[in-house]
Amino acid sequence: MAKESSFDIVSNVDFSEVTNAINLAMKEIQTRYDFKGSKSEISLDKEELVLISDDEFKMNQLKDVLFSKLIKRGVPVKNLDYGKLEGASGGTVRQRAKLIQGIDKENAKKINTIIKNSGVKVKSQVQDDQIRVTGKNRDDLQKIIAAVREADLSVDVQFVNYR
């Protein structure tokens, strides 16, 4: 009997890379002319980014700088869930962005539906915040990976523990 192969579908954010991206973004903000004299800053509070800036326009520029640094560091920007813009002290505005870890139930259902609709003979099971996919043929697992990559999910997914 052939041994079954498997892999896990997860959605993780590397916090060391997020910290590096924040440091790079802050360096760029301090040297940019359009941010001269502004009170713009980015900080990481547990699993949440806190962005503070003078006004909504500067906040959008701050997000653009942060996005570019996150993308260069390989951090999925799909996993950022922005809250609404709120007033802060000193006439500034603040926005919080939660870093999403793991696959929620809604996305797990979507992924399971994609796997079932693909017509490939594999089994999938939800384990906490990840999905394990097992099958007898490695080519079938590759087809599932391709199908999940093409899907429009609200979080970025990675494929780990491929055996």
Side-chain angles (χ1 to χ4, degrees):
M1 180 153 183
K3 185 180 174 205
E4 286 199 342
S5 300
S6 68
F7 68 90
D8 295 332
I9 303 173
V10 297
S11 179
N12 291 329
V13 176
D14 186 2
F15 283 100
S16 61
E17 291 297 336
V18 172
T19 305
N20 291 340
I22 290 171
N23 291 337
L24 290 170
M26 286 306 297
K27 276 185 185 177
E28 182 174 327
I29 288 165
Q30 290 167 355
T31 59
R32 277 180 53 165
Y33 181 76
D34 55 343
F35 280 102
K36 196 166 225 135
S38 79
K39 298 175 185 168
S40 298
E41 67 177 68
I42 306 167
S43 61
L44 184 63
D45 182 31
K46 294 179 185 160
E47 290 189 8
E48 196 171 58
L49 289 171
V50 180
L51 292 88
I52 299 173
S53 194
D54 294 336
D55 53 30
E56 192 174 343
F57 177 73
K58 279 224 171 49
M59 179 64 76
N60 289 333
Q61 287 181 320
L62 188 66
K63 282 189 210 173
D64 286 343
V65 171
L66 179 63
F67 268 28
S68 69
K69 301 305 177 195
L70 287 172
I71 290 169
K72 282 183 185 175
R73 303 299 298 181
V75 177
V77 292
K78 262 187 169 181
N79 288 21
L80 289 174
D81 182 27
Y82 281 100
K84 61 182 182 180
L85 213 59
E86 57 192 44
S89 63
T92 59
V93 291
R94 177 188 311 125
Q95 191 168 23
R96 296 182 181 275
K98 188 175 181 202
L99 291 163
I100 300 170
Q101 289 276 73
I103 299 173
D104 60 337
K105 289 185 185 203
E106 182 181 318
N107 282 314
K109 283 181 185 177
K110 283 183 187 177
I111 292 171
N112 276 331
T113 305
I114 292 165
I115 291 169
K116 283 182 177 50
N117 292 342
S118 68
V120 180
K121 283 194 170 185
V122 294
K123 290 182 272 183
S124 65
Q125 52 186 208
V126 178
Q127 299 175 338
D128 294 329
D129 57 352
Q130 68 181 19
I131 299 172
R132 164 122 339 135
V133 180
T134 57
K136 292 186 191 258
N137 190 347
R138 285 183 171 232
D139 291 338
D140 291 345
L141 296 181
Q142 292 289 338
K143 289 175 188 172
I144 296 298
I145 290 174
V148 172
R149 276 202 177 123
E150 289 175 11
D152 185 32
L153 299 171
S154 62
V155 293
D156 190 63
V157 293
Q158 296 92 29
F159 306 96
V160 296
N161 296 337
Y162 189 78
R163 323 181 216 266

